[in-house]
Amino acid sequence: MDSKQKIFNILNRAEGVISGETLSAELGISRVSVWKHIKGLIESGISIISSPTGYRMTLDPDSLVPWAFGARQDRIHYFQETGSTMDEAMVLARKGCADFTVVVAQRQTCGRGRMQRTWLSADGGLYFTVVVRPDIPMMLAGLVNLAAAIDMANLLRSMYQIDTCLKWPNDILVNSHKICGVLSQMEAEGDQVAHMNIGIGLNVNNAPETEEPIAISLRALLGRPVPRREILVAFLDAFEKRMLAFDPHAVLDEWRLNNVTLGRPVRVITVKDRVEGTAVDVDFHGGLILQLADGARQTVMVGDCFHR
Ligand code: BTN
């Protein structure tokens, strides 16, 4: 733990003001160094009031800086602004970062969605990518995406009492409006997954509906701003637990229970094709099984699904 993190922890635990002298004695560094670290913390968005008697921190519950994540802080990589957390995560994953490393950004300049779409990434939304290294064959990778959407949908339902449901493959909807999307990238070694980077964009305190009428934010639904850190922490708690004991059958059962796609007539647009039929089930790899007009069945692995 570096001095900046130690200062953060001391101020975070403290009830009131902590003098510069106390910090310099506890850390064994000069008062000037203490001040430089305090300045660094302030620049990264932490609110620290300095007075003649010392420093006092008020931790903004919305702050996503690593120090605010306690024991997880070493695995959190925070960016005030980046192109896409997917790209940052890929660099870290290829360098061998730990399982459950997280890249989170305040905003993205080139946020991307599935099927080469842009993901609006203004201030206020929650944009992050988790690197996971599950010990599973490549053919089960699609289920990890479903699992991430299930865990996020569950926590939004239980923490904020909103009626989330899943649209194939892993969109989270509330009243037919999209609140969250999941994008993943994977690299393999042989036929085993080496790492999967699961990128999640959740509309929290941003206003995507001004540009994207089918989108909705948590703030618009609840009529109040929501601190993003509690969402990220709850997601990581649930998703880490799930991935450490990954059960493909449980993922499929939960997805079937919470989806709004199965049983409906749908149109799926794939990169080269368009398929229409009734969505009847998901297969063991997370593919959508369609019953076509002539009674034949076709499974689609990747695509954009429109409910008709
Ligand atoms: C979709 O529904 O099309 C998926 C959207 C995924 C957006 C997230 S935001 C964090 C991560 N970084 C990106 O550039 N995209 C994903």
Side-chain angles (χ1 to χ4, degrees), residues 210-230:
T210 52
E211 289 179 59
E212 199 65 81
I214 58 141
I216 188 86
S217 69
L218 202 48
R219 181 174 60 182
L221 286 166
L222 301 181
R224 63 171 172 92
V226 180
R228 291 166 299 172
R229 194 171 63 248
E230 66 184 25

Side-chain angles (χ1 to χ4, degrees), residues 8-159:
F8 177 92
N9 290 344
I10 294 170
L11 294 180
N12 193 25
R13 274 197 307 269
E15 299 275 297
V17 174
I18 298 283
S19 71
E21 215 167 15
T22 307
L23 289 171
S24 105
E26 280 204 32
L27 272 73
I29 58 174
S30 69
R31 296 274 299 270
V32 175
S33 301
V34 167
W35 169 238
K36 276 193 191 142
H37 291 306
I38 296 268
K39 243 176 90 189
L41 287 168
I42 293 171
E43 276 160 16
S44 64
I46 299 195
S47 159
I48 298 174
I49 296 157
S50 92
S51 66
T53 48
Y55 305 103
R56 181 192 168 96
M57 186 174 82
T58 49
L59 186 52
D60 176 357
D62 193 47
S63 173
L64 298 169
V65 295
W67 310 285
F69 288 85
R72 261 194 195 104
Q73 58 186 261
D74 292 343
R75 283 183 278 129
I76 306 279
H77 295 251
Y78 170 78
F79 291 84
Q80 188 74 21
E81 181 176 291
T82 185
S84 163
T85 57
M86 299 307 286
D87 297 335
E88 303 288 355
M90 188 56 90
V91 172
L92 292 170
R94 287 181 177 161
K95 280 190 192 153
C97 69
D99 209 3
F100 305 116
T101 292
V102 179
V103 179
V104 60
Q106 186 72 18
R107 57 183 166 272
Q108 301 182 109
T109 51
C110 300
R112 55 181 189 264
R114 297 174 55 252
M115 311 286 286
Q116 276 112 46
R117 274 191 306 260
T118 298
W119 185 260
L120 298 172
S121 305
D123 278 318
L126 179 57
Y127 315 109
F128 66 98
T129 302
V130 190
V131 179
V132 286
R133 301 184 180 281
D135 190 10
I136 55 170
M138 232 162 58
M139 63 181 202
L140 292 185
L143 298 186
V144 178
N145 301 333
L146 299 191
I150 294 168
D151 288 341
M152 182 58 89
N154 285 347
L155 81 84
L156 293 175
R157 205 177 302 124
S158 65
M159 287 170 70

